[in-house]
Amino acid sequence: MSGLVVFLGPTLTSGEASLHTTANLLPPARLGDVYDAVTRQGARAIGLVDGLFNSVPAVWHKELLFALSRGVRVFGAASMGALRAAELHPFGMEGVGAVFEAFARGELTDDDEVAVAHGAAESGFRPLSEALVNLRHGLDMAEKAGSISAATAGRLLAHAKATFYADRSWPALFRAAPGLGVDEDELVGLRALIGRVRPNRKRDDAIALLRAMTEAGGEAMPPHVAKFEFEATSFWEAMIATTARSEASAPRDEALALHGLLSPGGEERGRGALLLALALQEAERRGIEVDGAGMSAAAERIRRALGLRDKLAMGTWLKEQGLDLAGSQALLRAEAIVDALGREQALAVRSLVILELQRRGELGRAREQLAATGEVGWSESGLPREALLQWYEREVRWLGADLPAALRSLGLTTLDQLLTAVARVKATLAGSRAP
């Protein structure tokens, strides 16, 4: 097996890529694939062109740093590879091509510049939309050729940028052109140039990456010499454990995931999964770690939220979820990270709850309920402090019994503020149950 590994898909077909390299050609990378290429496949050099980002967790920066720390040469270009290379070239990742250079210089900053919709693996990841960098490149070529004016190029590019990435294409841009003030002569000239040249900057950069790996020595290229020390964090260990399990059960897990998304409550499960993904990415980006106390607090929070009696019931529940020790630790680390980020962003979360109420169509009802409780504080409500706290601990289980932590999670500073809010919620619920 070749010691060269290249991840690609919609940017360049494996058939075309094989004309330029003898590397082992793999599908677009996802979380764990680079780690697997290093540890199981013995890769000596890795080329990252395409990576999945929407349906599954994307390849981590940490994986690429791990490869570099093991002496593996890592090249990136065209798509996900260009993004990661622009971010990691100070650590030794080798960027190739115009897309990488534009990101490295800061001329391009948004990930959607390279994003495309594509077909399934069975179709060879056939692209179903056009990358913005390709549209940008084609419009620039047309302007330099005199087919369109700078003003027309600017209007068309702005329209393409404002279009959802999966809907971008040359035909769609041509259809929109008359409504953007593009005259017939310019449109004819643009169509002719694009049809003749077929600009594809991503494809060109992908081929350049394959050639760069060959020119660097191919199978005989010297190893990378890392100038940093790789740190195996707890999140790194959790990623290894998670991807190792998912490899064996991928078809079953995919069916379970789709069932969870499409059955009642699927939207909220999807949003919860999105929260976890963003929290873990932020933790990885910032190097956030959690200690044993944080994980214990997370376990207690889950236990209370689920109404489990004790730790024994919690252990039984974990087994019912198919979680072994590594899986349980991964779950608790994720929960602890969400807790920590929630406390850190408490004021922002509290302000955005209004937007969430509006999204759900619940704001009007919430206003009515709050107005019915009046504006008095808990001390004027006639409800004893201890009774309110007991009700809070029994009913608001997701916050947990740690009152200082609950205050931080809600962005509050005093217990009186919490008790007043709890008294109003209790009064609202009592009113809703009244005959």
Side-chain angles (χ1 to χ4, degrees):
M1 180 180 290
S2 173
L4 307 183
V5 171
V6 177
F7 295 97
L8 50 78
T11 297
L12 189 69
T13 67
S14 58
E16 188 173 9
S18 63
L19 300 176
H20 304 277
T21 184
T22 59
N24 183 22
L25 302 176
L26 299 178
R30 65 181 72 193
L31 177 64
D33 283 350
V34 169
Y35 172 80
D36 183 80
V38 175
T39 58
R40 298 189 185 186
Q41 301 180 44
R44 294 194 295 275
I46 293 173
L48 178 61
V49 175
D50 290 308
L52 300 177
F53 69 94
N54 194 13
S55 57
V56 296
V59 58
W60 274 6
H61 300 76
K62 194 89 171 181
E63 292 181 75
L64 300 166
L65 292 173
F66 172 78
L68 291 167
S69 73
R70 290 294 188 91
V72 177
R73 298 276 291 274
V74 183
F75 298 76
S79 193
M80 179 70 78
L83 299 177
R84 293 291 185 261
E87 295 157 338
L88 296 180
H89 71 92
F91 297 92
M93 186 170 176
E94 301 173 54
V96 179
V99 177
F100 156 73
E101 291 171 1
F103 275 104
R105 290 194 298 265
E107 295 172 5
L108 299 179
T109 57
D110 297 333
D111 293 2
D112 79 312
E113 289 278 346
V114 297
V116 297
H118 58 79
E122 294 77 11
S123 72
F125 302 98
R126 182 174 64 87
L128 303 176
S129 64
E130 193 72 64
L132 186 57
V133 288
N134 289 347
L135 297 174
R136 186 186 294 274
H137 180 46
L139 292 172
D140 182 61
M141 292 177 65
E143 180 189 341
K144 289 178 178 176
S147 300
I148 58 175
S149 67
T152 293
R155 288 197 300 273
L156 290 172
L157 181 59
H159 177 80
K161 177 67 175 175
T163 301
F164 181 54
Y165 80 90
D167 297 327
R168 293 170 180 156
S169 68
W170 284 114
L173 198 57
F174 296 152
R175 288 193 297 270
L180 299 172
V182 179
D183 65 43
E184 184 63 26
D185 288 343
E186 283 189 306
L187 182 54
V188 169
L190 177 61
R191 282 179 180 273
L193 185 140
I194 298 304
R196 183 175 67 255
V197 178
R198 298 188 180 278
N200 193 329
R201 176 145 277 174
K202 287 181 64 176
R203 172 187 173 276
D204 295 342
D205 284 4
I207 293 174
L209 176 143
L210 300 177
R211 291 173 176 168
M213 294 179 72
T214 299
E215 292 168 1
E219 294 281 354
M221 75 173 69
H224 174 73
V225 179
K227 297 181 180 179
F228 63 91
E229 185 174 344
F230 180 82
E231 183 179 357
T233 64
S234 61
F235 287 101
W236 173 253
E237 299 297 340
M239 185 279 289
I240 294 173
T242 301
T243 54
R245 287 195 309 277
S246 63
E247 180 180 348
S249 58
R252 183 193 64 194
D253 288 351
E254 182 176 353
L256 283 171
L258 288 173
H259 178 77
L261 288 172
L262 297 176
S263 57
E267 179 186 9
E268 294 310 312
R269 294 186 193 102
R271 291 174 73 86
L274 173 62
L275 170 63
L276 287 175
L278 294 176
L280 291 175
Q281 287 179 13
E282 179 67 3
E284 180 67 20
R285 185 183 70 83
R286 291 167 50 182
I288 296 175
E289 270 293 342
V290 293
D291 55 18
M295 291 176 64
S296 296
E300 177 64 12
R301 180 178 181 276
I302 292 175
R303 185 189 69 77
R304 288 177 56 83
L306 294 172
L308 301 173
R309 297 186 311 277
D310 49 32
K311 291 183 178 179
L312 179 60
M314 179 73 173
T316 301
W317 178 83
L318 289 170
K319 289 181 181 179
E320 289 173 350
Q321 308 313 306
L323 292 168
D324 57 13
L325 178 59
S328 299
Q329 290 180 334
L331 172 66
L332 296 179
R333 287 189 183 100
E335 187 73 11
I337 282 297
V338 171
D339 287 349
L341 292 176
R343 290 191 295 271
E344 181 183 298
Q345 300 293 327
L347 293 178
V349 169
R350 201 170 73 192
S351 67
L352 288 173
V353 168
I354 302 296
L355 185 63
E356 181 66 7
L357 286 170
Q358 291 170 325
R359 187 185 74 85
R360 292 168 175 256
E362 298 174 351
L363 184 64
R365 177 61 176 158
R367 280 176 171 161
E368 292 174 2
Q369 291 174 333
L370 188 60
T373 66
E375 297 296 327
V376 297
W378 74 270
S379 58
E380 291 85 17
S381 69
L383 297 170
R385 179 178 184 276
E386 291 305 318
L388 274 178
L389 286 176
Q390 289 174 7
W391 184 89
Y392 155 79
E393 291 188 9
R394 185 176 67 253
E395 300 293 335
V396 193
R397 295 183 303 198
W398 71 271
L399 272 171
D402 186 341
L403 290 177
L407 291 176
R408 290 193 297 273
S409 295
L410 295 170
L412 301 177
T413 56
T414 68
L415 184 58
D416 279 3
Q417 291 174 312
L418 175 62
L419 290 173
T420 294
V422 168
R424 290 174 179 171
V425 172
K426 187 176 185 300
T428 295
L429 294 177
S432 67
R433 295 182 186 127

